[in-house]
Amino acid sequence: MSKIINVAAIGGMVMERGEETPDEPIRQFREAAEKLDGTGVELVVTCETMLMSQPTNSGEKLESPGPLLMEYRNFAMRNHCTVAGVARTMLEGKSRQSIIYYGPDGTALGSYHKMFPTDASLRAGTAPGEGPIVVDTPVGRLGGVLCFDLNFDELRDGYIKLTPDILCFASYFHGDHLQSNWAYKTHAFLVGAIKDGTSDIRDPMGRVINSSTYYNRIAWARINLDRFVMHGSGNSEKWSAIRRKYKDKVLIDSHSPIGCAILYSYSDEFTAKDIAYEFDLTNYEDYMLECRKLRNNSLCPQ
């Protein structure tokens, strides 16, 4: 069944010399919240710059939220939405860089702790997270990625196995083509909230579908999570028949430079996977697995 949601990423700003006052992160969040209140946004991702006034070895606690987590919680409740909010947290006596997921009723649904803090952060006492985490929320399965994490393929590959719907990427650095790589490899949407540069929302092919501007720190997109990602080989000859039968109830969004496509369901009657089953479509992972098997058989015939 189609699952269409409105998502937004709030970019952050930091002065070159770090001259911000302690209330600057909350000021920036409230400025963006004023623009988002009442718009029907269903998922908001905040930037890693929300940590700027939280020194290493400090942090808020989920069981007794401080001012930053309360801002996220109150916004989620006020707008009946999900918030992926960045904050430094204290867990088991250790300071961590985290994304906390708040649901529409203000409940903390789960958290991700940065698996790869920078070398400087680790030396200063920041505790690393243990690995990828996917949290089930009203807007889908969310995975977290924080800044320096984007450089490490083992975290990305962990998310490939966990099959998130959306990767919530909060960062001081942009990451450029690495963002597209993560979206494409995980087949997830990637909502990136970035410092200073553009905050981008990418589809499961890694293509940018909306960006913030220098005049507006909020990137916004309406996305459909009911998707089936496939390679064109062995599938593309069936697409015309699917379109003839289901017309505007489906969308086959092909991207020829990489030879793949996404099948979306825009119906309440069936899912994209239902259509794939009906027309015997092969998903991307199974197709690549079969190619590997054929190669191995060719090298080592039985």
Side-chain angles (χ1 to χ4, degrees):
M1 316 293 177
S2 64
K3 185 168 184 177
I4 300 171
I5 62 170
N6 296 312
V7 300
I10 303 173
M13 298 181 293
V14 178
M15 296 174 67
E16 183 180 358
R17 295 176 181 83
E19 299 167 342
E20 290 81 6
T21 59
D23 65 345
E24 180 62 16
I26 288 178
R27 189 197 69 78
Q28 288 191 21
F29 179 77
R30 288 176 177 171
E31 179 183 69
E34 185 176 351
K35 295 180 180 180
L36 289 168
D37 277 335
T39 61
V41 67
E42 291 160 275
L43 171 66
V44 171
V45 179
T46 71
C47 183
E48 194 186 32
T49 56
M50 297 302 292
L51 302 172
M52 72 175 84
S53 297
Q54 292 181 295
T56 304
N57 297 319
S58 71
E60 299 187 14
K61 296 181 179 180
L62 289 181
E63 60 271 22
S64 54
L68 195 51
L69 293 183
M70 285 301 295
E71 286 289 330
Y72 300 150
R73 181 177 182 272
N74 291 341
F75 180 88
M77 294 175 67
R78 191 166 68 244
N79 288 278
H80 307 289
C81 71
T82 300
V83 173
V86 179
R88 188 175 281 277
T89 61
M90 291 295 292
L91 179 66
E92 299 174 345
K94 296 180 179 180
S95 180
R96 303 170 189 266
Q97 296 165 321
S98 309
I99 297 176
I100 309 300
Y101 302 101
Y102 282 101
D105 64 355
T107 300
L109 303 175
S111 56
Y112 165 75
H113 307 295
K114 190 174 185 178
M115 185 176 173
F116 290 100
T118 63
D119 52 344
S121 292
L122 289 167
R123 292 188 182 104
T126 298
E130 295 181 357
I133 298 291
V134 167
V135 177
D136 289 313
T137 76
V139 293
R141 292 167 51 78
L142 306 183
V145 189
L146 275 164
C147 197
F148 202 52
D149 280 337
L150 204 66
N151 294 292
F152 295 90
D153 291 349
E154 54 264 53
L155 178 58
R156 180 204 63 194
D157 293 348
Y159 278 122
I160 291 174
K161 296 176 181 178
L162 293 176
T163 64
D165 291 312
I166 300 170
L167 290 175
C168 303
F169 176 52
S171 186
Y172 265 75
F173 93 120
H174 186 275
D176 194 47
H177 62 87
L178 291 176
Q179 288 194 50
S180 295
N181 175 277
W182 277 58
Y184 174 63
K185 287 295 187 178
T186 61
H187 305 327
F189 289 89
L190 188 146
V191 180
I194 312 299
K195 167 187 172 291
D196 295 337
T198 60
S199 294
D200 304 311
I201 300 172
R202 286 172 160 77
D203 73 2
M205 291 294 176
R207 299 169 297 186
V208 174
I209 53 179
N210 192 257
S211 296
S212 62
T213 71
Y214 291 108
Y215 309 103
N216 179 12
R217 292 188 295 112
I218 301 172
W220 176 289
R222 183 168 294 161
I223 61 176
N224 185 358
L225 301 183
D226 188 354
R227 66 206 185 282
F228 180 87
V229 180
M230 56 187 153
H231 195 275
S233 181
N235 290 315
S236 61
E237 62 269 22
K238 304 170 186 177
W239 294 348
S240 293
I242 295 171
R243 290 176 173 131
R244 288 190 191 99
K245 181 173 181 179
Y246 290 105
K247 297 183 172 60
D248 60 358
K249 292 183 179 180
V250 300
L251 171 65
I252 300 174
D253 183 4
S254 59
H255 187 53
S256 60
I258 55 175
C260 295
I262 312 170
L263 168 67
Y264 294 101
S265 168
Y266 281 89
S267 172
D268 293 331
E269 303 167 22
F270 48 79
T271 68
K273 289 183 179 179
D274 291 335
I275 300 298
Y277 180 80
E278 178 184 354
F279 285 85
D280 194 27
L281 301 175
T282 303
N283 69 28
Y284 177 91
E285 288 78 8
D286 288 345
Y287 172 72
M288 294 301 175
L289 181 61
E290 179 62 22
C291 290
R292 290 186 176 96
K293 288 180 178 178
L294 288 170
R295 177 184 180 275
N296 289 338
N297 291 339
S298 178
L299 291 171
C300 305
Q302 300 297 322

